Amino acid sequence: MELSMGSNKGRGFMGVVVATAVLMSFAGLAAAQSSSGSTNAHVGVSQGITPSGLTPSSTLAGAADSQVGSWAANPPPPQPLLPLPTSRATVTVPASIDATGATDVTSKLTTFFERVPSGTTVVFPAHAIYRCDGSLVLYRAANLTIDGNGAVLKTETTGAGATPSTGRSWEWPRSRASIVLEWSSNVRIENLTISGPNSPGGYGTYHPALEAQAGVDVEYSANVSITSDTIRFVYGDFVYISGGSRNIQVTDNVFNGSGRQGVSVTDAQYVLIEHNSMFRAGRSAIDLEPGTHAGLAEHVDIYDNEIVKAGLSFVAAQGYGPYVSNVNVVGNDLIDMPMDIQVRASDGSQRHNWMVLNNTTDFVQGSPVAPIEFWNVSGIVIEGNHQPMVSSRPSVALYLQDPCNWAVRYNSFPGAEATEPQGIAGSCGWTNAAA
């Protein structure tokens, strides 16, 4: 998925509304006619923006494009990959555990992993099938690599008839995730297939009574890598991250058919979601949604993913509190779905530092609601994105409510209504400047 500024730079942006309580005029807003007949406007900002603590190549200052550095041309790199866990020994899952998928081996696999010492690489037999009707709970695992070697963890039931796994008896079977990492550190799960009973998954397969049945549930853990895995047909999320977890990486996976979200971050910092192929998430592809005012979804990098037909949003960032901040959404390809990014705290908290750069979709959005919405966010950069809009009726591509320190440039929103930004209020203090 190589995206360059070359195809978008110079197209300007169309269909943007900036709304606040007090209407003011923008005499300096210059409009220009594009070759497609749509009205374009370049919008800059007179105050510097340094999302995620980064420094732009040139300060965002002044009204002219020549004075404004482009983040889209030089996007910040994603977080570096975690090093492999330190492993002193390699062990293979014993042959005494049924690898044909005929019997439930949740208890036997759990007991095996409980006896694996720190600093071990566990290798599954190639292409084995392990039936797990409960949760494989890895509690306080450390310096552990799990090499699936093409093996499958298979669940064919909702878990209603299975014995609740240790620590998962609350709201069973709602809480039955396939793999649970609790209070663990330096863990890598790779080359493993997790297959649930919710085939084919996708929109319309959300069941609240089963919504916590994630493929991988990461809780209270640090330095976890979920890479080169396949997770499919789960009732919950492909990956769920919570409990104040830190340094979690979800990279190079294939996700297919969930009942709820794709990847959810409800309480975590420093999360990398990169190079994944995601098909048919039942609701939103990426969900950054703390359940409390103090919950965290901070320093989240969403880079170079291919996402096909999620049921609701591309990025849903609602929930509570100000700490859904320092988020970079860069270079993602969306297929058969709009670039729906909703950033709005349910309790009205101000959030900070969001970059949306070089994302594309082939979906022509026709809803009267703007696909990209930011409410009460300080430090917004939206550059180099492509979102077609229905031209046969009024369509707005981007809506900003009470923004601070923002820049919107070099996007392509063909078919969008050329709506002049209007209004400014509050104490955040920004100045609109036009090229």
Side-chain angles (χ1 to χ4, degrees):
M1 286 179 287
E2 293 190 23
L3 300 172
S4 67
M5 273 299 298
S7 60
N8 289 329
K9 188 172 181 179
R11 293 185 182 179
F13 91 100
M14 299 159 281
V16 177
V17 171
V18 179
T20 51
V22 180
L23 179 65
M24 295 182 64
S25 64
F26 290 86
L29 183 63
Q33 198 73 14
S34 74
S35 59
S36 65
S38 300
T39 302
N40 298 346
H42 286 214
V43 177
V45 62
S46 67
Q47 299 177 356
I49 305 175
T50 55
S52 298
L54 299 168
T55 302
S57 56
S58 61
T59 303
L60 294 174
D65 277 351
S66 61
Q67 296 175 282
V68 180
S70 171
W71 281 97
N74 296 287
Q79 301 172 40
L81 293 175
L82 293 169
L84 290 172
T86 302
S87 299
R88 296 188 297 269
T90 298
V91 299
T92 301
V93 176
S96 59
I97 299 178
D98 181 9
T100 68
T103 60
D104 180 13
V105 296
T106 305
S107 179
K108 290 183 178 180
L109 273 180
T110 300
T111 299
F112 164 72
F113 274 100
E114 287 174 348
R115 296 172 178 171
V116 170
S118 174
T120 299
T121 295
V122 173
V123 181
F124 282 80
H127 310 298
I129 300 175
Y130 293 93
R131 177 179 163 186
C132 291
D133 291 336
S135 296
L136 175 57
V137 180
L138 305 179
Y139 181 73
R140 295 195 181 278
N143 290 317
L144 173 67
T145 296
I146 299 175
D147 182 356
N149 199 21
V152 179
L153 292 185
K154 180 185 68 169
T155 302
E156 294 184 340
T157 72
T158 65
T163 302
S165 300
T166 302
R168 309 300 292 180
S169 59
W170 53 276
E171 296 185 348
W172 187 271
R174 179 184 177 275
S175 60
R176 194 280 312 272
S178 294
I179 295 180
V180 180
L181 288 174
E182 288 186 349
W183 299 100
S184 296
S185 62
N186 301 320
V187 175
R188 181 181 177 91
I189 302 173
E190 61 184 7
N191 305 320
L192 183 67
T193 294
I194 296 172
S195 186
N198 186 26
S199 179
Y203 185 74
T205 66
Y206 170 62
H207 298 282
L210 303 172
E211 66 177 358
Q213 293 195 4
V216 179
D217 182 352
V218 181
E219 303 176 7
Y220 313 103
S221 296
N223 303 337
V224 174
S225 175
I226 301 164
T227 186
S228 301
D229 299 305
T230 297
I231 302 177
R232 65 194 183 199
F233 311 148
V234 293
Y235 277 110
D237 308 336
F238 298 119
V239 178
Y240 182 85
I241 307 167
S242 66
S245 295
R246 188 179 180 91
N247 294 338
I248 311 300
Q249 298 189 342
V250 181
T251 60
D252 296 292
N253 301 285
V254 176
F255 300 132
N256 186 11
S258 72
R260 199 174 71 160
Q261 325 291 7
V263 178
S264 287
V265 181
T266 64
D267 191 11
Q269 291 180 293
Y270 299 98
V271 177
L272 174 63
I273 305 168
E274 183 183 29
H275 293 156
N276 301 286
S277 295
M278 183 183 298
F279 304 87
R280 300 196 318 278
R283 294 169 70 83
S284 296
I286 309 295
D287 186 55
L288 311 180
E289 191 173 6
T292 67
H293 183 84
L296 302 173
E298 288 203 312
H299 301 287
V300 179
D301 284 349
I302 305 165
Y303 273 65
D304 296 319
N305 301 282
E306 181 181 68
I307 301 176
V308 181
K309 205 174 181 59
L312 297 178
S313 297
F314 165 34
V315 179
Q318 300 191 34
Y320 296 94
Y323 306 116
V324 184
S325 299
N326 301 304
V327 178
N328 297 323
V329 184
V330 179
N332 300 280
D333 287 343
L334 311 181
I335 299 171
D336 199 19
M337 60 178 290
M339 195 182 302
D340 192 345
I341 300 174
Q342 304 293 318
V343 185
R344 182 178 187 177
S346 302
D347 57 7
S349 298
Q350 186 180 62
R351 293 170 172 176
H352 307 277
N353 298 342
W354 274 73
M355 302 187 79
V356 180
L357 309 177
N358 300 338
N359 303 284
T360 69
T361 180
D362 64 351
F363 187 89
V364 180
Q365 172 74 339
S367 170
V369 178
I372 304 173
E373 291 193 354
F374 281 79
W375 294 67
N376 196 21
V377 178
S378 172
I380 306 170
V381 179
I382 301 174
E383 290 189 4
N385 303 286
H386 176 72
Q387 167 64 74
M389 304 293 296
V390 169
S391 59
S392 59
R393 58 181 180 271
S395 299
V396 175
L398 171 63
Y399 181 88
L400 305 180
Q401 175 73 44
D402 296 325
C404 296
N405 304 339
W406 57 276
V408 176
R409 300 166 300 188
Y410 313 139
N411 299 286
S412 172
F413 300 145
E417 181 182 13
T419 305
E420 179 175 314
Q422 51 185 308
I424 179 171
S427 60
C428 59
W430 54 266
T431 302
N432 186 65

